[in-house]
Amino acid sequence: MRSKRFLFTSEAIKALVLPPKGQRPDTYRDTRTVGLELDCKPPRKGRAKEGQKVFFYRRKIGESRPRQKLGAAHELTIAQARDRVAALIREDSIRGEIKNRRTANVEYNVELMLADYLDAKSPQSTDDCKKLRKGTWKNYESGVRNYLTPFFGKWAPEDITNRDIQAWNDALVSRGVSQVARQKSLSVLRQAFKLARKRYRVDPNCSFPDYVIELHHKVRTSQFSASEFFRLWNFLPIDPKFINTSDEKAHEVRRAARLLMLTGVRKMEILNAQWGDMAPLFNGRLPALLVPAARQKKHRDFVIPLSAQSQQILEEQFWASKRPSDRKQHIFQHIRGEMLLNNSMREQGKFTETPHDIRRTVATAWGALGFPKDLIKWSLGHKPQGVTEENYNQYTYLPERHEMISRWATILIDSINTYNPSSQGGMWGTHDSLVGNLNVKTKSRITINEHSAGLELAGDVAVDHQQIGEGG
C-alpha cells in the first residue's frame, strides 16, 4: 500500500488517480489535520461501479490505530471532513475513550460509569454540561463510595433490574441507612446511567429500571424563638472542652451568624464570600456583596445589599484578618467547612435550630413587618417566576432592598437590646414569638373596600440602638 502526505485541497484530490482494479487502496494523509486520511479505492471485482475517494479519521489508542469512516469525497468537502475530525477529537477527550475501551473488549461496569459521571459533573470539570455545586458533588461522591460501588461496582449497567435494586435497598435498610440517603443514591445511579447512555452510547436501547424509593419527607418549618434568636446574636462558641476552637474561629462564627441574621441569605453565600466580592454600587451609595452564579444555588448572579451594621461586622472581620491584600482570599478563613457553623451551634450553643432556620425566621419577620413580597423574594435570592420577571423585567430592586435591610437591622438590634423575657408574663401567660417581641411601633389604618380588607402600614417610628461591636 502506497502512502503519501500532502495538503488536502479540492483540486489536488480531484487530480488523484484511482489505482487499477484488483489492487489495494492508496492512502493519503493530510499535512494540516493530524489523523485525517483519504483512501482512493479501485473498482471492485465484478462490479461496474467506479472507485471512490473516502475520508477516514485514524485514532491512536495505545499500540492500535483504528480508523473511522467520515464520508466519501463527493459527499463531504475538505472543510467538513476537518470539522468532523475536530468533533471526534473533542468527543474522545470528553468521553475519556469510553467508547474505544468498549470496542476493545474492556468491561464497562457500574463503577466506571459512576466515576465518569462524577468527573463530568465535578465543579472543576472542563465539560460543557451543567456542573454540580461543591457541596452537592461531595454528597453524590459520598453516596457512590459508601452505598453504590460496594454493591453494584462490578456489575454491567444493563444487568441491573428492579429486583436487584430492591435487594440493594433492603440491604441498606438492614444497615440502618436513612431513607433520604438511599433515595439520593438511587437518583445518582439513575442520572449516571442516563448520561452514559446519552453521551457514551452505552446500551442506547436499554432503559433504567423504574424502581422508586418512596420518600416521606416532611417539610421543615421550624423557626427560632425570640429568646433563642436573641441569644444567638451574642453566641460565642468558646468552651474549654472544645480544644480545636480558637478565638479567631469563635469570633468568626459569631460574625457569620450575625450576618445571616441581618441579611437572611443562605449560609454558603456568606461563608464562601471573598474580599473581592465586596463592591460599592450606585456610585458608592449602596455597599453590597456580590455572589457569582457559580456559587449561587439558582446558578444566577445575586447581590446582597449591606446595612450599616453588616458593614461594621465586615470591617471587624477585615481588621481581625490582618488587613488581607489578596482580594481572592475568603472573608471567613477559619469556618469555611461545610458543617462547622452547624456543629458549633448544635454542640457548643445547644441550639436545636440550624443556620438555615435563621433564614426562615428572618423571612417570617420581614413578612410580619409588612415588607413587600417582591422585596422579600429578591432578598432571599429566589429565582423569579414567570416569563415577565425571568426574561423581561431585569430590575432587581437594589435600592428598595437596601432600605428594607437597613430598617430590619435597626429594628432587630433595638429589639435585642430591649428584650426582657421576665416582663412577658401576665394574665395571658408568656409568649416567646420573635414577631411578638420585635420592638417596633407602627402607625396603621384598616382599609376596607368591596374587594378586600387589609392592614396598610403608614410608617414606623425611628428607634435608637447601641453599637453592635464584639460585646454588644
Side-chain angles (χ1 to χ4, degrees), residues 285-313:
R285 293 184 289 108
L286 198 159
L289 196 62
L290 308 181
V291 182
R295 291 194 277 109
Q296 213 267 347
K297 182 177 181 180
K298 300 301 180 180
H299 301 283
R300 49 190 291 270
D301 294 333
F302 179 51
V303 180
I304 305 174
L306 299 175
S307 61
Q309 293 80 0
S310 299
Q311 298 174 49
Q312 185 175 345
I313 292 174

Side-chain angles (χ1 to χ4, degrees), residues 50 82 135 143 176 200-201 218 257 268 295-296 329 349 361 449:
E50 296 182 357
R82 286 172 176 155
Y200 307 136
R201 294 169 175 79
K218 184 178 179 181
M268 299 313 299
R295 291 194 277 109
Q296 213 267 347
Q329 178 178 325
T361 305
N449 54 42

Side-chain angles (χ1 to χ4, degrees), residues 5-9 12-13 29-33 78 82:
R5 301 175 67 93
F6 67 94
L7 179 62
F8 284 179
T9 61
I13 292 178
R29 300 178 182 177
D30 187 14
T31 56
R32 175 177 171 181
T33 303
I78 300 175
R82 286 172 176 155

